[in-house]
Every structure is written in C-alpha cells, then in structure tokens.
Amino acid sequence: MLNYKAIEIFTSESARYGNTPLTDAVISLLRDLKIAARCVVTRGISGLYENGELATSRLEILSFNMPIRICIVVPAAETDRVLDGLDGMIDEGILALHDMTVLSHRTHSAFFPPQLMVRDVMTPEPHSVKAETNLREITQLLLSSVFTGLPVVDEHHRPVGVITQGDLIRKGGLPLRLGLLAESDRNRLESVLNHMASRHAGEVMTTPAVTICENRSLIDAVDLMLTSGVKRVPVVDESGRLTGMLSRLDIFRTVMREAPDWNAFRAQEIEVSNLRYVADILRQDTPVVSPETPIDEVIRIIDRNDIQRVVVVDAEGRLLGLISDRDLLRFFKPEQDGVWHLLARVKHPFQQDACRLGDLQRCLTETTAAAVMTTGLITAREEMLIEDAVRLMTDKALKRLPVVDADGRFKGMISRASLLRAGFRGPAMRGNDHVAV
C-alpha cells in the first residue's frame, strides 16, 4: 500500500488565474514541479453554483459556463508543494483534500515530451549568410559564436544550404577546428582568414538544406536529425522562410527542463519502466595511454581517431586525465608554429614556419602525457540515468563525458550523439556510437 493524497478542485470554465484558464494554470504548476502527480480535468454536462446559476448542455443559453472538476493524485510527501503552489490561484470554487490508498503506481519514462513542437524549442532569429558571403566573414562569425554552423539563405530568406565547420575544413581550406584556430596567435589567425577571403559560402556549403517546419513535433525533428546525420536543422515557416535553428543543445536544454526526477520517483516506490542508463550507450573504443607515453605518440593517436582525444589511465585502468589537440596547442605555446602544422588538416603552410623543428621533435619525444593532460575531469558513473547525464553535459557545456566505475576505472565515453540516439530510440547497443561530434 502506498500513501497518497487526492486534491480536488471544483470550479467553472470561467475561472482564471491571471489571464490563463485555471485548468491550464494548474497543469502548468504540476509540470513545473516535476513530481509524480497525475491530474485529470473533467467538464460536467450540467451543474449548479452557489449563486443559483444553472449550467446545462441541454440549453444553448445555459451552456457557456459548465462545471469543471480537477483531480490531482499525488504521493503524500509532495502534497504540501502542490498546495503551496495552488495557494492564491483559486479564487472561485472549492478546494478539497483527502487520503487515498494506492495499491501500485507505474509509469513509463519519456525523454521527449510528445506535446512539444519545434517552435517551442528552436533558437529563433538565427544568424544566416548568403551564398555570396566570403569564407573569411563566415569564419569570423563562427569564431565569435557558440555554434559551429550557419544556414545559407536566398534573397527571400529561404534556406538553400548549411555551412558547417566540417564544410570549411573539407572544402574551404580551414586548416584547424574553430576551437583550435581561436587558440592560435594573431598572425596565424590573420593568415588563415586572408587565405579564405577569396572563396564563398555557395562553393562549400552542404546543399540542399535539410529543414523542418516550425509546426512539426520535436519528436519528428529528432527523427529527421538522426536519419539525416546532422547536428542542427534550419527551421522554416509555412512559406519556407527561415525562422529558427534547432540544435542538439536546444533539445538537451529542453530535456533538462522538462524531464522529471526519475530517481526521486523510484525512491517513492513508483515503478518506472524504460529507464536508460549511461552504461547502455558507452563508446568503448576511446584510445587510452599511460602517463609515461611520449607526446609524439599521443599526437599520432589523436590524428588517427575521430574523437580527437586520448584518455590517460594508470596501470589499474583508473582515469587520470584527458588530452585533446587543444591541450597540445596550449602546452607547446612557445613552439606553436610547429605544433600547429602537426595538427593541421592541410599540409601547405600559410606563412614561414618559424619553429626550430629539431628542437620541437626532441621536446615532443621527451615530454610525457602526464605533463600535458587535463586533470580534475568531470565524469559520469555507469549507473547514472541518461537524463542526468544530459543535465550534467548541458550545465557544463560538454560535448563528451568520460565514464568511470565505482573504483574510478575508465569505462568509456559518451557524447551528445549517443545521448540523442538513446533518448529517441531506446537503449543503444554498447560500443556502437561511432558518430563524430
């Protein structure tokens, strides 16, 4: 037997909280509380109010203000939170509270609330460029932004393509990821920008643009993103004009805001089915090295894998740190020219290499992973719920998250791609997340 309370509100269709119908306001309150409450709103077919007003569906003239009953069933421990929220909301009607004995409470977890539309989640009025915009201007815009892609629009503001960091690297001559380019010295950055100034978005953009209408459901948008293998989608109105951009980060922020606390539900003896855990979506092919590994070997490993990171572990497999190409560029700041060319995606230099390559090679051989690695990492545990991992990665602006067991041993890596795929399609096959993000 479970200890529950039933809260009932007897009111009318005309009842308001501010400018909002009372029924909508109560439902919004319960949603925002993220508690294990069920709410049912019923509209009567007839009724009588204290002032003698009659309501009946049999006469059109008397059917404008029908009686409403709102029933909320909630675990007893959460009752005060609900009543505190209702306090002051109800200025017409009757509020009742009584005990309820519940034999069982079962529910399914839901990663994406089905009622959400694309327009509720998208980033409105996004930056956009034209096909004739030069790549220097686009690169500068992306360097100053948190996003790594832009929609390309025509003269009617309809998307004709998308230009991403990948397009700039593969087709536009961008030698480094934007994050690395931002770490470069001013002369290097200016040299790269000048090299790209002669080309335009229309030459390198991905076309046609994969778009979605703002009136479609969020679930449809996620399905489109997974099917098309894209990280962001231009959002259009009914006439095809650009109105927003929908990214994975937009979706994760929504999940973080909307998802209930499933751990709290289970603590109240509520049976929650279809829960997904970090252990279900681990990518287990992340390269690992020891603290003594020379950095020249680390660079070769980074160059060979799409994760662009190397994990440093001790002899027992415990996580010690992480090395990315950005760590390398920062560590070897005095020899940045030489390291820059080692990490670049193109082989031709944009300016004379001023580094003494012999000294750099000796430095790379003698420096170990322990000296370069980033420590004090944010990690996840295998038993963490996927929704909690989304919250952690969104709060900390992380694209990837190392996973450890109870003893601190490294178990694998999760990414935004794996989170999105698992949240939409259920538990993923362990080790199958090979999408670069």
Side-chain angles (χ1 to χ4, degrees):
M1 301 291 187
L2 304 177
N3 186 16
Y4 277 60
K5 297 285 187 180
I7 302 171
E8 292 186 294
I9 303 167
F10 296 88
T11 185
S12 66
E13 286 182 307
S14 63
R16 293 287 188 275
Y17 176 62
N19 295 321
T20 304
L22 180 61
T23 52
D24 293 347
V26 170
I27 291 172
S28 294
L29 166 68
L30 296 174
R31 182 193 61 199
D32 294 341
L33 288 176
K34 298 184 181 180
I35 59 177
R38 290 261 177 145
C39 179
V40 178
V41 177
T42 54
R43 179 179 185 267
I45 61 173
S46 63
L48 177 68
Y49 300 105
E50 298 90 333
N51 60 4
E53 179 185 336
L54 180 67
T56 174
S57 59
R58 293 193 299 271
L59 296 174
E60 182 177 350
I61 194 173
L62 297 178
S63 65
F64 71 96
N65 191 28
M66 302 303 289
I68 296 291
R69 176 175 178 259
I70 306 172
C71 181
I72 305 167
V73 180
V74 62
E78 303 285 4
T79 306
D80 287 343
R81 293 181 64 195
V82 178
L83 292 176
D84 288 345
L86 293 175
D87 186 34
M89 290 179 64
I90 303 168
D91 58 8
E92 194 285 320
I94 297 173
L95 176 64
L97 174 69
H98 57 85
D99 293 331
M100 175 177 285
T101 299
V102 173
L103 299 180
S104 68
H105 186 169
R106 301 183 177 94
T107 188
H108 296 284
S109 66
F111 199 71
F112 301 109
Q115 75 275 10
L116 288 177
M117 310 298 286
V118 170
R119 63 175 177 270
D120 300 322
V121 180
M122 69 181 190
T123 298
E125 301 179 359
H127 290 285
S128 63
V129 296
K130 299 291 184 63
E132 58 270 20
T133 306
N134 70 66
L135 298 190
R136 177 191 175 100
E137 182 179 338
I138 292 170
T139 303
Q140 287 177 309
L141 182 58
L142 292 175
L143 283 171
S144 63
S145 307
V146 297
F147 44 84
T148 58
L150 289 167
V152 183
V153 298
D154 63 14
E155 64 274 15
H156 302 294
H157 209 60
R158 293 179 300 218
V160 295
V162 174
I163 187 163
T164 68
Q165 173 179 254
D167 294 321
L168 292 174
I169 291 174
R170 290 188 300 270
K171 297 178 283 187
L174 185 70
L176 294 172
R177 292 189 298 110
L178 292 166
L180 283 180
L181 191 60
E183 298 285 339
S184 301
D185 61 67
R186 181 179 297 275
N187 290 336
R188 175 72 66 186
L189 176 59
E190 190 63 26
S191 177
V192 171
L193 294 176
N194 287 338
H195 174 77
M196 303 182 71
S198 62
R199 305 193 65 188
H200 302 87
E203 301 175 53
V204 302
M205 67 182 182
T206 297
T207 186
V210 176
T211 65
I212 190 163
C213 184
E214 60 187 8
N215 295 325
R216 297 280 295 277
S217 73
L218 180 60
I219 292 177
D220 288 341
V222 174
D223 188 29
L224 176 65
M225 293 172 74
L226 290 172
T227 302
S228 304
V230 296
K231 302 176 185 178
R232 62 196 65 80
V233 179
V235 181
V236 297
D237 60 17
E238 296 291 348
S239 65
R241 291 174 57 85
L242 179 72
T243 59
M245 284 289 287
L246 180 69
S247 69
R248 292 189 301 211
L249 187 57
D250 293 322
I251 295 169
F252 291 147
R253 284 172 177 158
T254 300
V255 171
M256 186 176 65
R257 183 177 68 248
E258 298 284 343
D261 185 347
W262 299 116
N263 285 318
F265 280 27
R266 291 186 295 173
Q268 296 173 350
E269 300 182 25
I270 298 168
E271 297 178 36
V272 184
S273 63
N274 198 35
L275 287 172
R276 295 165 299 278
Y277 301 90
V278 163
D280 298 323
I281 61 172
L282 283 178
R283 176 169 180 170
Q284 296 178 313
D285 64 339
T286 306
V288 297
V289 298
S290 72
E292 298 78 25
T293 304
I295 287 302
D296 59 346
E297 182 177 339
V298 170
I299 291 177
R300 286 194 293 270
I301 294 172
I302 287 177
D303 190 53
R304 290 197 302 263
N305 79 85
D306 63 287
I307 294 181
Q308 298 166 336
R309 286 162 178 78
V310 169
V311 174
V312 184
V313 299
D314 65 15
E316 286 73 40
R318 289 188 292 266
L319 178 65
L320 299 178
L322 198 64
I323 301 176
S324 68
D325 46 10
R326 183 175 293 187
D327 294 318
L328 294 167
L329 204 62
R330 288 174 175 172
F331 185 83
F332 293 102
K333 191 76 172 178
E335 297 88 14
Q336 191 183 78
D337 278 352
V339 174
W340 192 92
H341 283 306
L342 290 174
L343 299 175
R345 295 294 187 268
V346 295
K347 301 305 181 185
H348 59 277
F350 291 108
Q351 63 183 45
Q352 184 63 37
D353 188 353
C355 178
R356 292 175 296 172
L357 291 177
D359 291 346
L360 174 63
Q361 186 56 54
R362 185 173 66 251
C363 182
L364 294 175
T365 303
E366 294 175 356
T367 304
T368 64
V372 179
M373 68 183 182
T374 296
T375 58
L377 301 173
I378 298 170
T379 61
R381 292 279 291 274
E382 294 176 291
E383 62 272 20
M384 177 182 281
L385 290 175
I386 287 180
E387 282 87 345
D388 291 337
V390 168
R391 184 172 291 106
L392 178 60
M393 293 178 70
T394 304
D395 281 343
K396 303 299 182 181
L398 302 173
K399 292 185 177 181
R400 296 180 182 84
L401 187 62
V403 181
V404 297
D405 64 14
D407 298 317
R409 288 188 292 265
F410 177 69
K411 306 302 292 184
M413 195 85 71
I414 59 173
S415 68
R416 289 178 179 175
S418 61
L419 289 172
L420 192 65
R421 189 178 302 110
F424 185 71
R425 292 178 175 165
M429 294 294 292
R430 183 177 292 189
N432 278 354
D433 176 28
H434 292 280
V435 179
V437 290

